[in-house]
Amino acid sequence: MSRPVLWITRKLSDATEQRAARDYEVILNPEDRVYQADEIVAMSAKVDAILPCHSEVFSKDVAGRLSDRVRIIANHSVGVDHCDLPALQARGIVVTNTPDVLSDATAEIALLLMLGAARRASEGDRLVREGRWVSWSPSFMVGRQTTGKKLGIVGMGRVGLAVRRIVSGLGMEVHYSNRRRLPPETEQGAVYHDSVDDLLGAVDVVSLNCPSTPDTLNLMDARRIGLMRPGAILVNTARGNLIDEAALAEALRTRHLFAAGLDVFKTEPSGNAELALLDNVFVLPHIGSATRETRDAMGFRALDNLDAFFAGREPRDRLV
Ligand code: DGY
């Protein structure tokens, strides 16, 4: 029996590509270039399955133009805001994602961003590298301590829970908001707030860990940023469109917020030029899940979903 043709849209880990080549007729992208809408549509005529990243956008328009040959899109990401799920479902295309396996790596980056923002890591790094570190005094580069402070997690799903686990050594009092309150055994003493508004004024650091959906677009707008405590810190490892970046820049300029730690931006790649000018922003280029272990695990999880589908079983991470 002929093997399904699988298009892997980006350069994935060697272990993932080797396993895929063992089980599928694979089309790889060794140059790792990003395919645009018309190219995705053209490629779809040649393949039974697509294994994309969040960099390939399956909008309503693209979904409507994909070839009938494509039966499954097995994403190499937990976030699926690049996929118009109802439009893909209407085409009868199965869509999966890769939850669980990137939670710890993303939580590590949330911790790095929180500490980097609180302890002025970008400023300090630049000072030393640029040869501008010429004196030391007790009033030099004074930041904020996070030990014993209050952390507010917006979205206590898999990543939110991993953030809570990873900060436990800092003795932070954890608060959270979530669509549903968690059962006590999962909540483990974290303080529940039934609205984001209510959470924001109660904590010193806010970590965004909710998915990007039409409901969370610009969740952190000027009004909600204004609800944060003066001198608070905002951390985002989820998606850039959760934040009104102009409003955030203003709150950082006026020092209403002490700092922000951001791994994701509205415009990627590149980030936000206005935010990049500010000293009190610690930025990274969307690398929450970028560890060797997690890249392998994401690739394998996507392949597990494909294997199940082509074996006639329900893929574990089926979304539609
Ligand atoms: C995810 O899995 O959603 C990460 O942001 C990488 O795409």
Side-chain angles (χ1 to χ4, degrees):
M1 211 179 71
S2 68
R3 303 189 302 171
V5 179
L6 169 63
W7 175 33
I8 299 182
T9 63
R10 302 300 302 273
K11 175 91 192 81
L12 300 186
S13 76
D14 290 346
T16 304
E17 292 193 349
Q18 280 157 15
R19 178 176 146 184
R22 185 191 67 194
D23 300 331
Y24 298 87
E25 291 302 322
V26 282
I27 300 175
L28 299 175
N29 178 4
E31 290 84 34
D32 202 22
R33 78 179 182 82
V34 182
Y35 283 73
Q36 303 304 321
D38 288 345
E39 299 172 299
I40 293 172
V41 171
M43 280 295 283
S44 72
K46 302 179 195 160
V47 302
D48 305 298
I50 305 178
L51 198 165
C53 296
H54 74 266
S55 46
E56 284 68 58
V57 179
F58 293 86
S59 62
K60 189 173 180 184
D61 164 60
V62 170
R65 293 193 289 135
L66 287 179
S67 162
D68 287 341
R69 182 168 172 183
V70 176
R71 297 170 61 202
I72 176 167
I73 294 177
N75 284 293
H76 184 277
S77 67
V78 66
V80 287
D81 50 312
H82 59 290
C83 291
D84 188 319
L85 294 179
L88 290 164
Q89 185 173 32
R91 293 293 317 278
I93 296 172
V94 168
V95 181
T96 62
N97 68 341
T98 57
D100 301 317
V101 291
L102 43 67
S103 305
D104 287 342
T106 307
E108 283 184 3
I109 288 290
L111 179 63
L112 174 63
L113 291 172
M114 178 179 79
L115 295 177
R119 301 303 298 271
R120 305 172 57 176
S122 306
E123 248 180 290
D125 181 82
R126 271 200 302 273
L127 205 69
V128 179
R129 282 177 199 276
E130 293 168 9
R132 292 185 290 111
W133 180 28
V134 290
S135 70
W136 185 94
S137 95
S139 57
F140 169 66
M141 289 279 312
V142 175
R144 294 287 158 106
Q145 189 141 340
T146 54
T147 351
K149 297 281 171 56
K150 294 182 178 164
L151 168 67
I153 298 175
V154 178
M156 196 66 126
R158 297 174 181 91
V159 178
L161 287 167
V163 171
R164 192 198 54 190
R165 234 182 4 258
I166 214 162
V167 300
S168 60
L170 294 173
M172 298 184 86
E173 181 180 301
V174 176
H175 294 235
Y176 74 102
S177 67
N178 200 40
R179 270 173 306 172
R180 277 181 299 280
R181 183 168 184 169
L182 302 175
E185 63 277 15
T186 314
E187 201 174 60
Q188 287 181 20
V191 181
Y192 178 64
H193 296 256
D194 61 10
S195 73
V196 176
D197 285 15
D198 193 51
L199 171 85
L200 295 173
V203 297
D204 306 295
V205 179
V206 173
S207 172
L208 301 181
N209 298 107
C210 55
S212 160
T213 67
D215 289 340
T216 58
L217 179 68
N218 288 327
L219 176 80
M220 295 306 292
D221 56 11
R223 183 186 70 78
R224 286 214 176 89
I225 291 171
L227 294 177
M228 289 177 69
R229 287 182 169 177
I233 291 170
L234 180 61
V235 169
N236 190 9
T237 51
R239 284 292 185 264
N241 60 15
L242 298 180
I243 297 180
D244 176 338
E245 291 175 341
L248 175 61
E250 181 61 13
L252 290 163
R253 258 193 307 269
T254 60
R255 307 278 160 175
H256 168 58
L257 296 187
F258 179 73
L262 308 170
D263 183 44
V264 286
F265 299 87
K266 278 212 160 84
T267 305
E268 294 183 8
S270 83
N272 179 300
E274 195 185 359
L275 287 168
L277 289 175
L278 301 173
D279 267 345
N280 50 350
V281 186
F282 182 64
V283 285
L284 293 172
H286 199 148
I287 54 166
S289 54
T291 67
R292 181 175 303 191
E293 295 83 349
T294 294
R295 287 292 183 242
D296 281 350
M298 290 170 75
F300 281 21
R301 185 86 171 221
L303 290 173
D304 289 346
N305 285 319
L306 285 168
D307 293 352
F309 176 80
F310 284 108
R313 288 181 276 111
E314 182 70 1
R316 175 177 177 182
D317 306 310
R318 181 172 177 164
L319 299 168
V320 296

